[in-house]
Amino acid sequence: MTAPLTPPHQPPPNDDPWQKGPSGATPWPGPGRNGDEGPGLRAELVQAAVVAVVVAVLGVLLGLLWMWLAPHVPLISDGKAVYLKDSEGEQAIGGDGTFALLGLAFGVVSAAAVFLFRKRGGVPLVLALAVGGLLGSLLAWRVGIWLGPSQDVVAAAKHAGKGVTFDAPLKLAAKGALLAWPVAAMIVHLGVTAVFGPRDPEPEWTPPSPPSPLPPLPYEDPAPEQPGGPRH
């Protein structure tokens, strides 16, 4: 007698059709199998910390540029009080606008530099740009005030003398200008990453090859009738 054969319409034992694709198909390797999944979470956090520190340090340069480019507000003293030399001037508003424009420029440049540093982007880098930009703006604000004209107006007026024009201290009246750098950096980085960033590979399947034909079933001759058997 021969062993029972598996019917052609049933899969053989230990053959799960959900674990492998059709014959000749190339399965998708999935994330992490082709070695191009990028750095791990720890590496991303380290890179984000470095980006935040570098961006924040750039606030020193922003403060120097603000001190140099912001329009100076002229003051004058009559020996008893200090007055604006040009009461209709817009130099004070120009200081806020200069800081905001410089913050926007620094946000665009820092976002482009971070994108060139790591084109894959990621949430940690975006947060690092936001935090670094905000810290850089605060640092620039304090640097500009510290290195700019003296904050002691009375002492500056006495030092200048009666009827002599001197510069008012730098002031950032519109504190919303501090958000120009981080907001611009986030928007530019997200936009550049969405347009020019790398794309995840699409799963590709090759056409399945035609199934191989089943082998023919073995043919067995009927057993011959034994002589001397029962007769009807």
Side-chain angles (χ1 to χ4, degrees):
M1 298 180 63
T2 60
L5 300 175
T6 301
H9 62 276
Q10 296 183 0
N14 300 326
D15 189 7
D16 189 358
W18 296 100
Q19 295 182 357
K20 61 183 181 179
S23 176
T26 302
W28 178 50
R33 298 185 182 179
N34 54 0
D36 190 23
E37 68 275 11
L41 179 59
R42 179 174 297 181
E44 289 186 359
L45 294 178
V46 172
Q47 293 177 357
V50 173
V51 167
V53 172
V54 173
V55 172
V57 171
L58 290 177
V60 177
L61 179 59
L62 175 58
L64 294 176
L65 291 176
W66 179 47
M67 180 188 64
W68 179 41
L69 298 176
H72 298 280
V73 179
L75 300 179
I76 192 170
S77 173
D78 60 357
K80 297 181 180 180
V82 178
Y83 306 94
L84 287 172
K85 184 177 181 180
D86 185 5
S87 59
E88 297 181 356
E90 299 180 355
Q91 290 87 351
I93 301 176
D96 295 344
T98 302
F99 190 94
L101 291 177
L102 288 173
L104 291 175
F106 271 68
V108 173
V109 173
S110 59
V114 170
F115 174 76
L116 295 177
F117 169 69
R118 185 171 184 271
K119 295 185 178 181
R120 295 184 64 88
V123 176
L125 284 181
V126 176
L127 294 178
L129 276 173
V131 174
L134 182 58
L135 294 178
S137 296
L138 293 173
L139 182 60
W141 175 34
R142 303 314 302 175
V143 167
I145 292 178
W146 178 47
L147 297 179
S150 175
Q151 297 292 312
D152 191 349
V153 178
V154 176
K158 291 181 179 179
H159 183 269
K162 183 179 179 180
V164 179
T165 303
F166 62 97
D167 294 331
L170 279 177
K171 183 187 298 184
L172 189 64
K175 298 302 188 291
L178 296 171
L179 300 177
W181 186 349
V183 171
M186 286 192 302
I187 293 177
V188 172
H189 187 270
L190 290 175
V192 173
T193 304
V195 176
F196 302 105
R199 299 291 188 272
D200 293 332
E202 297 288 341
E204 296 181 358
W205 292 88
T206 58
S209 59
S212 58
L214 296 176
L217 297 176
Y219 175 76
E220 297 182 1
D221 294 334
E225 185 178 353
Q226 300 294 333
R231 297 181 179 180
H232 300 283

